[in-house]
Amino acid sequence: MRLVKKECIAMLLAGGQGSRLGVLTQKIAKPSVPFGGKYRIIDFPLSNCVNSGIDTIGVLTQYQPLLLNSYIGDGKSWDLDRMNGGIQILPPYQRVDDSEWYSGTANAIYQNMDFIDQYNPEYVLILSGDHIYKMDYSLMLQYHKEKNADCTISVIDVPVKEASRFGILSSNDEGRIVDFEEKPKNPKSTKASMGIYIFNWDKLKKYLKLDEKNPESTKDFGKDVIPLMLESGEKLYSYEFLGYWKDVGTIESLWQANMDLLDENVFDLSKDWTIYSRHAEMPPHYISQNSTVRNCIISEGAVIYGDVENSIIFSGVKIGENAVVKDSVIMADVEIQENTIINNSIIDEAVNIGPDLKIGNPIEKNNGITVVPRDSIINND
Amino acid sequence: MNALGIIFSDMQDWSMTELASHRSVAAIPYGGRYRLIDFPLANMVNSGVDKVCIITKSNYKSLMEHVGSGKDWDLSRKKGGILIFPPYAVGENHGLFHGRLDALKRVLEYISSSSEKYVILSDSDMIYNINYKDVIAYHVEKKADITALYIRTDIDRNTSTHKIIYGFDEDNRANDVLVYPITSGTYNVGLNTWIMNKEFLEALIYDAIARNYSDFSIDVLTRKVKSIKIYGFEYNGYFAHIDSLQSYYDNSMGLLKKENLDSLFYSNIGPIYTKTKDSAPTKYCKDASVKNSLIASGCTIEGTVENSIIFRGVRIGKGAVVKNSIVISHGNIGENAKLDSIVLDTHAYVTNNRVLLGNSNCPFFIKRYSIV
């Protein structure tokens, strides 16, 4: 089968465990963590690709891929069921001479060089499945071409105190990167890598092969490949992104990113750049005579008899009479029975919470966020 | 399932002039995010029918846009799938068809070339929720020529003229069929859905061609009730007949009752499918107040909503009060506007401080794209 050449294809790294999300990623990979009432994290990079005109995406999976695989399906929810290209899931596979798990971000791409070569692309866009943002990758690609770069890294300004969590880079006036440090103790700038790279495929292939030969390498883009290219004098440029971007790698950041949706000045999903998702067929949500709903987001199929404030309610959630949900994220198909009070919590999918219970502490008490794992049944006894 | 589905998108063009002025009856929006066609389609898909044709008459643009390739109903198939027939001339049959039988004459070739054993004929203006497998099993058991779905319900003179009424013997075989009578009382009211063997339908069509029959209810049901075996299958779940603006309004408001909502949308027959729009979940602002309402996705609610149905992508501004109303998709209600008993069609815009009042027994209709 001969495949049509693509100028740019995307490779989405979706194999990470996301261990800092604790019970939320015990059974599912981080990119499939639900977000924002009807989405999963992976909807953001996928929709960004589609909206940017990229129609060929390889999704590299490894950790707990089942839900992610069935969620993606044939890709039609993102209009990625294409005649040429479309979406393809790429787990590690066996070869004649060796077979191994993906041992790092760079190794995952290395193991799929044949996949990329099928499309004979000029450029490869590397993405990860841990961030919430709306971004037009075609503008970044245009910048990459204008700069005649070998690699372009998308960067965002982060607060100084958080800088040591990221890959931090320094660039000259033209935007050419002069220094790159992964998670530095003493960051030299506040420009953090967003983990979004565009490479010239020829160059990337060369450096993936070189890196693979280095026994010391951890086979990671940030720690190994980027520094190696920089040392070798390749042209690396930084591309500054000014929109909303949130790493949702921790419980707190996931909760906060959900809450950011409540203020349309911070992050608004309802305008232009559509985020596509695959969702259950459900009727409009119903709000009863005795409910109050204030400053919240509610998705389809929810049936609300209680009170909801400052919260994100996913589809199919049932909230019983006199139940109160405040400052919380209630994921799909959760049932909260009457008189139960929920504060400052993340309730994962399909949890059933009995009547007359108290979950979580009021946000004012600063006791942190309570997380209830998926499919739990919580009762009085 | 071994059945072919045929849906008539608008057999009842005598009524619904407001909501159907720019669209087929089948494309009338209903229940916050659906169109009427979604209900017969869901019945077919949930029963395992995977070959469906829709026979349209006029104003079918929005219907075609809505149905598309059929993939939202899982009907984008290599074998079977969905097919829309716009008005279609065969031989001497030119112009618009008159009646179901006339329409069926024109799709005879499609019916004959289908390999399915049974055919389900359905209209678009009756909303109910059924698994046709049970009906076909009954049809086979009774060795019926035609099995007609019906519901036993009260009707009055205002609505009876849009209905077909059956009389049955003790075995539930029809012995009388009244088409659009003027009467009131408790009757076996047809759901305008019939099941028959494909060969039987073909024979009916040949007969209709030979005798120049065009109306299925009069020329087949009434005329042949004694000579063929028409059996009734009683249905007793959620039922709505949308045949006027008033019945549209009343039935829509009926969805706010828990038992109706549960039996239409949360039954074990299966979900109701519709075209995916990928709108964001609905946002309620700090001053929003919402009571007893059905609200679809993609809305922004800053004001007050009570006893209302709000479709996708509606904005309700600060201080606005929407009561006992139906706001169809992309409506925009300006700040401090007040609406009571209004049916606002798509993309209508109510400017700030406007007050619009209808009455529950005479809802006021605002045309699509109007600016009030």
Side-chain angles (χ1 to χ4, degrees), chain A residues 124-330:
Chain A
V124 174
L125 168 67
I126 308 286
L127 300 168
S128 64
D130 341 15
H131 306 124
I132 303 296
Y133 62 112
K134 297 199 278 194
M135 178 173 175
D136 189 343
Y137 302 134
S138 71
L139 300 177
M140 179 173 169
L141 182 60
Q142 199 184 332
Y143 175 90
H144 177 83
K145 289 187 217 166
E146 276 164 21
K147 294 289 180 187
N148 201 13
D150 297 308
C151 167
T152 299
I153 303 177
S154 177
V155 300
I156 193 159
D157 214 20
V158 294
V160 182
K161 62 179 168 54
E162 284 181 33
S164 53
R165 282 174 47 208
F166 296 96
I168 294 295
L169 37 83
S170 313
S171 6
N172 67 16
D173 293 346
E174 276 88 58
R176 184 156 177 177
I177 299 168
V178 292
D179 187 58
F180 183 95
E181 283 183 290
E182 187 66 18
K183 301 196 171 86
K185 285 212 178 70
N186 301 304
K188 290 177 194 147
S189 88
T190 55
K191 298 275 180 261
S193 160
M194 296 160 64
I196 300 166
Y197 314 106
I198 292 177
F199 290 97
N200 289 0
W201 175 226
D202 292 346
K203 278 280 155 63
L204 177 60
K205 224 172 7 180
K206 174 181 165 193
Y207 284 94
L208 285 176
K209 285 177 184 161
L210 274 175
D211 180 60
E212 202 57 32
K213 289 196 188 110
N214 174 8
E216 311 281 292
S217 166
T218 60
K219 293 161 186 168
D220 184 86
F221 275 105
K223 291 195 191 96
D224 308 292
V225 176
I226 303 290
L228 181 62
M229 286 180 78
L230 207 54
E231 275 168 37
S232 315
E234 301 293 354
K235 288 170 286 178
L236 283 77
Y237 280 82
S238 66
Y239 172 78
E240 199 148 348
F241 178 68
L242 299 170
Y244 177 93
W245 179 83
K246 195 96 179 173
D247 179 302
V248 287
T250 62
I251 297 285
E252 290 71 24
S253 61
L254 180 67
W255 182 90
Q256 186 57 52
N258 273 284
M259 293 302 149
D260 286 346
L261 292 173
L262 294 175
D263 185 347
E264 60 187 1
N265 301 319
V266 180
F267 192 46
D268 187 4
L269 294 179
S270 64
K271 296 214 179 73
D272 28 87
W273 202 259
T274 305
I275 303 300
Y276 301 95
S277 70
R278 176 168 175 170
H279 42 90
E281 271 304 331
M282 290 214 162
H285 59 264
Y286 174 73
I287 294 175
S288 86
Q289 188 64 42
N290 303 317
S291 314
T292 36
V293 289
R294 206 169 287 142
N295 195 35
C296 56
I297 279 177
I298 304 185
S299 197
E300 281 149 1
V303 179
I304 314 283
Y305 283 90
D307 298 340
V308 182
E309 202 179 334
N310 304 334
S311 295
I312 311 292
I313 310 294
F314 282 66
S315 56
V317 168
K318 292 194 167 64
I319 299 180
E321 287 196 30
N322 295 317
V324 178
V325 174
K326 260 183 104 172
D327 305 303
S328 295
V329 178
I330 314 292

Side-chain angles (χ1 to χ4, degrees), chain B residues 27-58:
Chain B
I28 292 176
Y30 187 76
R33 67 191 292 257
Y34 304 96
R35 290 175 187 263
L36 294 184
I37 188 77
D38 295 337
F39 298 94
L41 278 178
N43 284 334
M44 303 229 171
V45 171
N46 288 332
S47 306
V49 175
D50 56 15
K51 182 170 181 180
V52 178
C53 86
I54 301 174
I55 298 180
T56 67
K57 196 167 188 179
S58 50

Side-chain angles (χ1 to χ4, degrees), chain A residues 36-39 76-77 79 81 261-264 267-270 274-277 279 281-301 303 305, chain B residues 31-34 71-72 74 256 258 261 265-266 271-274 276-297 300 306-307 310 312 315:
Chain A
K38 69 183 287 197
Y39 308 97
K76 74 173 171 186
S77 304
D79 213 13
D81 53 335
L261 292 173
L262 294 175
D263 185 347
E264 60 187 1
F267 192 46
D268 187 4
L269 294 179
S270 64
T274 305
I275 303 300
Y276 301 95
S277 70
H279 42 90
E281 271 304 331
M282 290 214 162
H285 59 264
Y286 174 73
I287 294 175
S288 86
Q289 188 64 42
N290 303 317
S291 314
T292 36
V293 289
R294 206 169 287 142
N295 195 35
C296 56
I297 279 177
I298 304 185
S299 197
E300 281 149 1
V303 179
Y305 283 90
Chain B
R33 67 191 292 257
Y34 304 96
K71 74 174 175 181
D72 289 318
D74 206 20
L256 297 175
K258 188 176 187 308
L261 199 60
F265 293 120
Y266 297 96
I272 312 296
Y273 309 91
T274 192
T276 308
K277 293 274 177 67
D278 288 287
S279 29
T282 283
K283 192 181 281 181
Y284 294 93
C285 301
K286 290 196 171 68
D287 304 321
S289 162
V290 180
K291 307 271 182 215
N292 192 37
S293 295
L294 262 184
I295 300 191
S297 56
T300 305
E306 276 178 37
N307 307 326
I310 311 293
R312 291 188 271 203
R315 286 191 81 90

